[in-house]
mmCIF file of all heavy atoms in Angstrom:
data_model
loop_
_atom_site.group_PDB
_atom_site.id
_atom_site.type_symbol
_atom_site.label_atom_id
_atom_site.label_comp_id
_atom_site.label_asym_id
_atom_site.label_seq_id
_atom_site.Cartn_x
_atom_site.Cartn_y
_atom_site.Cartn_z
ATOM 1 N N VAL V 1 -0.559 -2.674 -3.074
ATOM 2 C CA VAL V 1 -0.876 -3.869 -3.849
ATOM 3 C C VAL V 1 -0.977 -5.048 -2.882
ATOM 4 O O VAL V 1 -0.300 -5.085 -1.846
ATOM 5 C CB VAL V 1 0.193 -4.162 -4.921
ATOM 6 C CG1 VAL V 1 0.180 -3.090 -5.986
ATOM 7 C CG2 VAL V 1 1.580 -4.281 -4.301
ATOM 8 N N ILE V 2 -1.831 -5.995 -3.217
ATOM 9 C CA ILE V 2 -1.976 -7.205 -2.406
ATOM 10 C C ILE V 2 -0.748 -8.083 -2.618
ATOM 11 O O ILE V 2 -0.425 -8.457 -3.744
ATOM 12 C CB ILE V 2 -3.259 -7.962 -2.778
ATOM 13 C CG1 ILE V 2 -4.490 -7.104 -2.481
ATOM 14 C CG2 ILE V 2 -3.352 -9.294 -2.020
ATOM 15 C CD1 ILE V 2 -5.795 -7.701 -2.985
ATOM 16 N N THR V 3 -0.065 -8.397 -1.525
ATOM 17 C CA THR V 3 1.170 -9.185 -1.637
ATOM 18 C C THR V 3 1.086 -10.532 -0.933
ATOM 19 O O THR V 3 1.930 -11.401 -1.158
ATOM 20 C CB THR V 3 2.365 -8.397 -1.072
ATOM 21 O OG1 THR V 3 2.034 -7.907 0.233
ATOM 22 C CG2 THR V 3 2.704 -7.223 -1.972
ATOM 23 N N ASP V 4 0.094 -10.726 -0.067
ATOM 24 C CA ASP V 4 -0.022 -12.011 0.626
ATOM 25 C C ASP V 4 -1.428 -12.141 1.186
ATOM 26 O O ASP V 4 -2.087 -11.134 1.485
ATOM 27 C CB ASP V 4 0.997 -12.097 1.761
ATOM 28 C CG ASP V 4 1.195 -13.532 2.264
ATOM 29 O OD1 ASP V 4 0.680 -14.462 1.611
ATOM 30 O OD2 ASP V 4 1.854 -13.713 3.307
ATOM 31 N N PHE V 5 -1.903 -13.375 1.308
ATOM 32 C CA PHE V 5 -3.209 -13.627 1.919
ATOM 33 C C PHE V 5 -3.317 -15.099 2.279
ATOM 34 O O PHE V 5 -2.602 -15.951 1.747
ATOM 35 C CB PHE V 5 -4.355 -13.230 0.983
ATOM 36 C CG PHE V 5 -4.390 -13.976 -0.321
ATOM 37 C CD1 PHE V 5 -5.013 -15.214 -0.430
ATOM 38 C CD2 PHE V 5 -3.787 -13.443 -1.450
ATOM 39 C CE1 PHE V 5 -5.039 -15.902 -1.633
ATOM 40 C CE2 PHE V 5 -3.799 -14.130 -2.661
ATOM 41 C CZ PHE V 5 -4.432 -15.361 -2.750
ATOM 42 N N ASP V 6 -4.217 -15.377 3.205
ATOM 43 C CA ASP V 6 -4.576 -16.738 3.576
ATOM 44 C C ASP V 6 -6.084 -16.737 3.703
ATOM 45 O O ASP V 6 -6.641 -16.001 4.531
ATOM 46 C CB ASP V 6 -3.908 -17.138 4.896
ATOM 47 C CG ASP V 6 -4.121 -18.606 5.241
ATOM 48 O OD1 ASP V 6 -4.897 -19.285 4.522
ATOM 49 O OD2 ASP V 6 -3.537 -19.081 6.224
ATOM 50 N N ALA V 7 -6.753 -17.515 2.875
ATOM 51 C CA ALA V 7 -8.219 -17.474 2.778
ATOM 52 C C ALA V 7 -8.889 -17.491 4.141
ATOM 53 O O ALA V 7 -8.668 -18.393 4.948
ATOM 54 C CB ALA V 7 -8.718 -18.653 1.940
ATOM 55 N N GLY V 8 -9.691 -16.457 4.387
ATOM 56 C CA GLY V 8 -10.452 -16.376 5.619
ATOM 57 C C GLY V 8 -9.674 -15.936 6.829
ATOM 58 O O GLY V 8 -10.254 -15.748 7.903
ATOM 59 N N ARG V 9 -8.345 -15.724 6.705
ATOM 60 C CA ARG V 9 -7.520 -15.408 7.881
ATOM 61 C C ARG V 9 -6.883 -14.029 7.810
ATOM 62 O O ARG V 9 -6.955 -13.264 8.751
ATOM 63 C CB ARG V 9 -6.445 -16.471 8.058
ATOM 64 C CG ARG V 9 -6.991 -17.855 8.398
ATOM 65 C CD ARG V 9 -5.852 -18.826 8.650
ATOM 66 N NE ARG V 9 -5.003 -18.364 9.749
ATOM 67 C CZ ARG V 9 -3.791 -18.862 9.993
ATOM 68 N NH1 ARG V 9 -3.288 -19.805 9.207
ATOM 69 N NH2 ARG V 9 -3.079 -18.409 11.009
ATOM 70 N N PHE V 10 -6.223 -13.696 6.703
ATOM 71 C CA PHE V 10 -5.613 -12.372 6.618
ATOM 72 C C PHE V 10 -5.385 -11.994 5.162
ATOM 73 O O PHE V 10 -5.306 -12.843 4.266
ATOM 74 C CB PHE V 10 -4.280 -12.311 7.384
ATOM 75 C CG PHE V 10 -3.129 -12.991 6.691
ATOM 76 C CD1 PHE V 10 -2.347 -12.315 5.765
ATOM 77 C CD2 PHE V 10 -2.832 -14.326 6.960
ATOM 78 C CE1 PHE V 10 -1.282 -12.935 5.120
ATOM 79 C CE2 PHE V 10 -1.776 -14.959 6.318
ATOM 80 C CZ PHE V 10 -1.001 -14.263 5.397
ATOM 81 N N VAL V 11 -5.278 -10.675 4.950
ATOM 82 C CA VAL V 11 -4.852 -10.112 3.670
ATOM 83 C C VAL V 11 -3.774 -9.081 3.985
ATOM 84 O O VAL V 11 -3.923 -8.279 4.902
ATOM 85 C CB VAL V 11 -5.999 -9.427 2.912
ATOM 86 C CG1 VAL V 11 -5.485 -8.827 1.602
ATOM 87 C CG2 VAL V 11 -7.126 -10.404 2.632
ATOM 88 N N GLU V 12 -2.702 -9.103 3.220
ATOM 89 C CA GLU V 12 -1.604 -8.158 3.442
ATOM 90 C C GLU V 12 -1.382 -7.324 2.187
ATOM 91 O O GLU V 12 -1.312 -7.851 1.078
ATOM 92 C CB GLU V 12 -0.319 -8.912 3.795
ATOM 93 C CG GLU V 12 0.826 -7.998 4.221
ATOM 94 C CD GLU V 12 1.992 -8.793 4.789
ATOM 95 O OE1 GLU V 12 1.922 -9.201 5.966
ATOM 96 O OE2 GLU V 12 2.959 -9.018 4.030
ATOM 97 N N LEU V 13 -1.298 -6.009 2.379
ATOM 98 C CA LEU V 13 -1.007 -5.085 1.292
ATOM 99 C C LEU V 13 0.315 -4.381 1.578
ATOM 100 O O LEU V 13 0.610 -4.044 2.734
ATOM 101 C CB LEU V 13 -2.118 -4.037 1.150
ATOM 102 C CG LEU V 13 -3.508 -4.553 0.773
ATOM 103 C CD1 LEU V 13 -4.348 -4.745 2.029
ATOM 104 C CD2 LEU V 13 -4.210 -3.584 -0.178
ATOM 105 N N THR V 14 1.078 -4.150 0.533
ATOM 106 C CA THR V 14 2.380 -3.500 0.665
ATOM 107 C C THR V 14 2.396 -2.229 -0.176
ATOM 108 O O THR V 14 1.905 -2.220 -1.318
ATOM 109 C CB THR V 14 3.506 -4.440 0.207
ATOM 110 O OG1 THR V 14 3.458 -5.644 0.994
ATOM 111 C CG2 THR V 14 4.868 -3.786 0.365
ATOM 112 N N ARG V 15 2.951 -1.180 0.414
ATOM 113 C CA ARG V 15 3.051 0.080 -0.325
ATOM 114 C C ARG V 15 3.982 -0.085 -1.507
ATOM 115 O O ARG V 15 5.105 -0.577 -1.377
ATOM 116 C CB ARG V 15 3.553 1.196 0.601
ATOM 117 C CG ARG V 15 3.551 2.577 -0.029
ATOM 118 C CD ARG V 15 3.627 3.682 1.019
ATOM 119 N NE ARG V 15 4.758 3.500 1.901
ATOM 120 C CZ ARG V 15 5.992 3.913 1.622
ATOM 121 N NH1 ARG V 15 6.251 4.518 0.470
ATOM 122 N NH2 ARG V 15 6.974 3.721 2.483
ATOM 123 N N ASN V 16 3.499 0.307 -2.668
ATOM 124 C CA ASN V 16 4.249 0.180 -3.905
ATOM 125 C C ASN V 16 5.336 1.247 -3.946
ATOM 126 O O ASN V 16 5.047 2.446 -4.027
ATOM 127 C CB ASN V 16 3.290 0.334 -5.100
ATOM 128 C CG ASN V 16 3.984 0.162 -6.439
ATOM 129 O OD1 ASN V 16 5.167 -0.171 -6.492
ATOM 130 N ND2 ASN V 16 3.250 0.390 -7.516
ATOM 131 N N GLU V 17 6.583 0.833 -3.860
ATOM 132 C CA GLU V 17 7.699 1.778 -3.857
ATOM 133 C C GLU V 17 7.781 2.564 -5.162
ATOM 134 O O GLU V 17 8.370 3.652 -5.209
ATOM 135 C CB GLU V 17 9.019 1.032 -3.617
ATOM 136 C CG GLU V 17 9.151 0.446 -2.218
ATOM 137 C CD GLU V 17 9.250 1.512 -1.136
ATOM 138 O OE1 GLU V 17 9.613 2.666 -1.468
ATOM 139 O OE2 GLU V 17 8.947 1.198 0.031
ATOM 140 N N ASP V 18 7.196 2.008 -6.225
ATOM 141 C CA ASP V 18 7.218 2.684 -7.522
ATOM 142 C C ASP V 18 5.880 3.349 -7.834
ATOM 143 O O ASP V 18 5.582 3.645 -9.003
ATOM 144 C CB ASP V 18 7.562 1.685 -8.625
ATOM 145 C CG ASP V 18 8.949 1.088 -8.450
ATOM 146 O OD1 ASP V 18 9.868 1.853 -8.084
ATOM 147 O OD2 ASP V 18 9.109 -0.128 -8.657
ATOM 148 N N TYR V 19 5.069 3.585 -6.814
ATOM 149 C CA TYR V 19 3.751 4.193 -7.009
ATOM 150 C C TYR V 19 3.880 5.516 -7.755
ATOM 151 O O TYR V 19 4.632 6.403 -7.359
ATOM 152 C CB TYR V 19 3.076 4.401 -5.661
ATOM 153 C CG TYR V 19 1.809 5.218 -5.727
ATOM 154 C CD1 TYR V 19 0.757 4.860 -6.577
ATOM 155 C CD2 TYR V 19 1.667 6.356 -4.933
ATOM 156 C CE1 TYR V 19 -0.400 5.603 -6.632
ATOM 157 C CE2 TYR V 19 0.501 7.110 -4.977
ATOM 158 C CZ TYR V 19 -0.523 6.735 -5.827
ATOM 159 O OH TYR V 19 -1.683 7.483 -5.882
ATOM 160 N N TRP V 20 3.124 5.647 -8.808
ATOM 161 C CA TRP V 20 3.252 6.780 -9.715
ATOM 162 C C TRP V 20 2.935 8.128 -9.043
ATOM 163 O O TRP V 20 3.494 9.161 -9.401
ATOM 164 C CB TRP V 20 2.313 6.602 -10.910
ATOM 165 C CG TRP V 20 0.865 6.849 -10.555
ATOM 166 C CD1 TRP V 20 -0.024 5.937 -10.063
ATOM 167 C CD2 TRP V 20 0.171 8.094 -10.609
ATOM 168 N NE1 TRP V 20 -1.229 6.539 -9.809
ATOM 169 C CE2 TRP V 20 -1.140 7.868 -10.143
ATOM 170 C CE3 TRP V 20 0.516 9.391 -10.999
ATOM 171 C CZ2 TRP V 20 -2.104 8.865 -10.057
ATOM 172 C CZ3 TRP V 20 -0.443 10.396 -10.913
ATOM 173 C CH2 TRP V 20 -1.736 10.134 -10.463
ATOM 174 N N GLY V 21 2.023 8.118 -8.059
ATOM 175 C CA GLY V 21 1.525 9.376 -7.495
ATOM 176 C C GLY V 21 2.132 9.748 -6.164
ATOM 177 O O GLY V 21 1.551 10.560 -5.426
ATOM 178 N N ALA V 22 3.283 9.206 -5.825
ATOM 179 C CA ALA V 22 3.874 9.449 -4.505
ATOM 180 C C ALA V 22 4.071 10.934 -4.218
ATOM 181 O O ALA V 22 3.957 11.370 -3.062
ATOM 182 C CB ALA V 22 5.205 8.715 -4.396
ATOM 183 N N ASP V 23 4.350 11.734 -5.242
ATOM 184 C CA ASP V 23 4.581 13.164 -5.050
ATOM 185 C C ASP V 23 3.398 14.021 -5.477
ATOM 186 O O ASP V 23 3.505 15.253 -5.532
ATOM 187 C CB ASP V 23 5.833 13.600 -5.827
ATOM 188 C CG ASP V 23 7.090 12.927 -5.290
ATOM 189 O OD1 ASP V 23 7.181 12.758 -4.056
ATOM 190 O OD2 ASP V 23 7.958 12.555 -6.105
ATOM 191 N N HIS V 24 2.284 13.388 -5.776
ATOM 192 C CA HIS V 24 1.088 14.135 -6.184
ATOM 193 C C HIS V 24 0.548 14.909 -4.979
ATOM 194 O O HIS V 24 0.500 14.379 -3.863
ATOM 195 C CB HIS V 24 0.038 13.147 -6.704
ATOM 196 C CG HIS V 24 -1.090 13.790 -7.435
ATOM 197 N ND1 HIS V 24 -2.056 14.534 -6.804
ATOM 198 C CD2 HIS V 24 -1.425 13.775 -8.757
ATOM 199 C CE1 HIS V 24 -2.934 14.969 -7.692
ATOM 200 N NE2 HIS V 24 -2.567 14.523 -8.886
ATOM 201 N N PRO V 25 0.131 16.162 -5.136
ATOM 202 C CA PRO V 25 -0.381 16.939 -3.992
ATOM 203 C C PRO V 25 -1.515 16.235 -3.252
ATOM 204 O O PRO V 25 -1.595 16.334 -2.019
ATOM 205 C CB PRO V 25 -0.864 18.238 -4.643
ATOM 206 C CG PRO V 25 -0.047 18.370 -5.881
ATOM 207 C CD PRO V 25 0.183 16.973 -6.369
ATOM 208 N N PHE V 26 -2.374 15.527 -3.975
ATOM 209 C CA PHE V 26 -3.491 14.848 -3.330
ATOM 210 C C PHE V 26 -3.014 13.704 -2.447
ATOM 211 O O PHE V 26 -3.684 13.311 -1.494
ATOM 212 C CB PHE V 26 -4.477 14.323 -4.378
ATOM 213 C CG PHE V 26 -5.747 13.786 -3.787
ATOM 214 C CD1 PHE V 26 -6.783 14.639 -3.437
ATOM 215 C CD2 PHE V 26 -5.914 12.425 -3.558
ATOM 216 C CE1 PHE V 26 -7.951 14.156 -2.874
ATOM 217 C CE2 PHE V 26 -7.078 11.929 -2.998
ATOM 218 C CZ PHE V 26 -8.097 12.802 -2.654
ATOM 219 N N ARG V 27 -1.852 13.156 -2.751
ATOM 220 C CA ARG V 27 -1.320 12.006 -2.013
ATOM 221 C C ARG V 27 -0.264 12.388 -0.977
ATOM 222 O O ARG V 27 0.100 11.562 -0.155
ATOM 223 C CB ARG V 27 -0.718 10.996 -2.986
ATOM 224 C CG ARG V 27 -1.732 10.264 -3.843
ATOM 225 C CD ARG V 27 -2.708 9.502 -2.997
ATOM 226 N NE ARG V 27 -3.508 8.548 -3.755
ATOM 227 C CZ ARG V 27 -4.623 7.992 -3.305
ATOM 228 N NH1 ARG V 27 -5.088 8.301 -2.101
ATOM 229 N NH2 ARG V 27 -5.277 7.114 -4.028
ATOM 230 N N ARG V 28 0.207 13.602 -1.001
ATOM 231 C CA ARG V 28 1.268 13.992 -0.075
ATOM 232 C C ARG V 28 0.765 13.899 1.368
ATOM 233 O O ARG V 28 -0.303 14.396 1.714
ATOM 234 C CB ARG V 28 1.736 15.407 -0.387
ATOM 235 C CG ARG V 28 3.058 15.793 0.247
ATOM 236 C CD ARG V 28 3.611 17.035 -0.395
ATOM 237 N NE ARG V 28 3.947 16.790 -1.806
ATOM 238 C CZ ARG V 28 3.734 17.666 -2.794
ATOM 239 N NH1 ARG V 28 3.172 18.827 -2.531
ATOM 240 N NH2 ARG V 28 4.082 17.359 -4.023
ATOM 241 N N GLY V 29 1.509 13.204 2.215
ATOM 242 C CA GLY V 29 1.115 13.046 3.607
ATOM 243 C C GLY V 29 0.136 11.909 3.856
ATOM 244 O O GLY V 29 -0.321 11.720 4.980
ATOM 245 N N THR V 30 -0.183 11.141 2.818
ATOM 246 C CA THR V 30 -1.085 9.995 2.956
ATOM 247 C C THR V 30 -0.330 8.706 2.641
ATOM 248 O O THR V 30 0.808 8.745 2.170
ATOM 249 C CB THR V 30 -2.303 10.119 2.017
ATOM 250 O OG1 THR V 30 -1.875 9.927 0.657
ATOM 251 C CG2 THR V 30 -2.952 11.497 2.138
ATOM 252 N N ASN V 31 -0.971 7.574 2.901
ATOM 253 C CA ASN V 31 -0.375 6.268 2.581
ATOM 254 C C ASN V 31 1.029 6.156 3.146
ATOM 255 O O ASN V 31 1.994 5.859 2.437
ATOM 256 C CB ASN V 31 -0.365 6.046 1.061
ATOM 257 C CG ASN V 31 -1.733 6.234 0.446
ATOM 258 O OD1 ASN V 31 -2.688 5.573 0.846
ATOM 259 N ND2 ASN V 31 -1.861 7.149 -0.490
ATOM 260 N N ASN V 32 1.137 6.408 4.443
ATOM 261 C CA ASN V 32 2.445 6.509 5.087
ATOM 262 C C ASN V 32 3.008 5.179 5.576
ATOM 263 O O ASN V 32 4.223 5.036 5.698
ATOM 264 C CB ASN V 32 2.350 7.484 6.262
ATOM 265 C CG ASN V 32 1.903 8.865 5.822
ATOM 266 O OD1 ASN V 32 2.428 9.422 4.864
ATOM 267 N ND2 ASN V 32 0.902 9.413 6.498
ATOM 268 N N VAL V 33 2.128 4.216 5.901
ATOM 269 C CA VAL V 33 2.641 2.953 6.437
ATOM 270 C C VAL V 33 3.090 2.050 5.289
ATOM 271 O O VAL V 33 2.526 2.092 4.191
ATOM 272 C CB VAL V 33 1.581 2.244 7.306
ATOM 273 C CG1 VAL V 33 1.194 3.117 8.480
ATOM 274 C CG2 VAL V 33 0.351 1.859 6.499
ATOM 275 N N ASP V 34 4.087 1.238 5.554
ATOM 276 C CA ASP V 34 4.632 0.366 4.508
ATOM 277 C C ASP V 34 3.741 -0.837 4.250
ATOM 278 O O ASP V 34 3.578 -1.264 3.101
ATOM 279 C CB ASP V 34 6.028 -0.125 4.902
ATOM 280 C CG ASP V 34 7.092 0.934 4.718
ATOM 281 O OD1 ASP V 34 6.823 1.935 4.029
ATOM 282 O OD2 ASP V 34 8.194 0.766 5.276
ATOM 283 N N THR V 35 3.191 -1.390 5.333
ATOM 284 C CA THR V 35 2.420 -2.629 5.209
ATOM 285 C C THR V 35 1.102 -2.492 5.956
ATOM 286 O O THR V 35 1.063 -1.994 7.079
ATOM 287 C CB THR V 35 3.199 -3.824 5.791
ATOM 288 O OG1 THR V 35 4.477 -3.911 5.147
ATOM 289 C CG2 THR V 35 2.440 -5.114 5.586
ATOM 290 N N ILE V 36 0.034 -2.931 5.305
ATOM 291 C CA ILE V 36 -1.294 -2.985 5.929
ATOM 292 C C ILE V 36 -1.716 -4.443 5.979
ATOM 293 O O ILE V 36 -1.752 -5.132 4.958
ATOM 294 C CB ILE V 36 -2.326 -2.173 5.133
ATOM 295 C CG1 ILE V 36 -1.921 -0.699 5.070
ATOM 296 C CG2 ILE V 36 -3.715 -2.314 5.752
ATOM 297 C CD1 ILE V 36 -2.796 0.137 4.161
ATOM 298 N N ARG V 37 -2.018 -4.898 7.182
ATOM 299 C CA ARG V 37 -2.407 -6.296 7.353
ATOM 300 C C ARG V 37 -3.797 -6.350 7.982
ATOM 301 O O ARG V 37 -4.031 -5.788 9.053
ATOM 302 C CB ARG V 37 -1.392 -7.026 8.229
ATOM 303 C CG ARG V 37 -1.605 -8.538 8.308
ATOM 304 C CD ARG V 37 -0.495 -9.182 9.129
ATOM 305 N NE ARG V 37 -0.738 -10.586 9.359
ATOM 306 C CZ ARG V 37 -0.278 -11.574 8.596
ATOM 307 N NH1 ARG V 37 0.466 -11.274 7.544
ATOM 308 N NH2 ARG V 37 -0.529 -12.845 8.871
#
C-alpha cells in the first residue's frame, strides 16, 4: 500500500502485514521486501 510520497520526488510503498494472500501458493516466495521506495 502507498504510505508516503512527495510530489515529483518519491513514492513509498509498505508491505501490508495483514495482506490476505500472504500464504497463497501464487504469492509464496514473492513480495519479500518490507518497503519499496
